[in-house]
């Protein structure tokens, strides 16, 4: 699921998928975008937008501990 699809979800479903509220997610995006401006440009440019990167990180953090317990 990508960020465009997540925007169409209800707030309850958004939190269920990501583990954070939409407002918290938006604040995360603001902070990461501000840090990326200050970041030194090196290496290959990312194919994912900032929203996609944060979404992947949150998805990983939500699923990995469950996988660990299995």
């Amino acid at each position: 699921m990508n960020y465009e699809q997540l925007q169409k979800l209800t707030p309850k479903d958004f939190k269920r998928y990501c583990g954070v509220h939409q407002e918290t997610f938006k604040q995360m995006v603001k902070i990461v975008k501000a840090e990326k401006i200050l970041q030194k440009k090196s290496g290959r440019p990312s194919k994912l937008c900032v929203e996609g990167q944060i979404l992947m990180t949150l998805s990983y953090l939500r699923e990995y501990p469950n996988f660990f317990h299995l």
Side-chain angles (χ1 to χ4, degrees):
M1 183 174 283
N2 60 19
Y3 182 64
E4 289 79 27
Q5 294 170 337
L6 276 180
Q7 289 179 326
K8 297 175 186 175
L9 294 178
T10 63
K12 183 178 178 181
D13 290 335
F14 186 91
K15 181 167 181 354
R16 183 176 175 201
Y17 184 83
C18 295
V20 295
H21 293 284
Q22 286 179 333
E23 292 301 318
T24 306
F25 187 85
K26 289 177 185 177
Q27 290 176 354
M28 289 174 160
V29 170
K30 283 182 187 178
I31 292 169
V32 172
K33 282 185 178 182
E35 288 297 319
K36 281 201 173 251
I37 291 172
L38 301 174
Q39 185 179 16
K40 182 179 175 184
K41 306 283 187 218
S42 63
R44 185 184 314 184
S46 177
K47 291 185 179 182
L48 289 175
C49 62
V50 172
E51 292 87 355
Q53 293 174 3
I54 294 173
L55 182 61
M56 281 186 62
T57 303
L58 291 174
S59 297
Y60 174 79
L61 290 174
R62 283 190 57 84
E63 293 174 10
Y64 182 72
N66 293 334
F67 180 74
F68 178 74
H69 289 293
L70 291 176

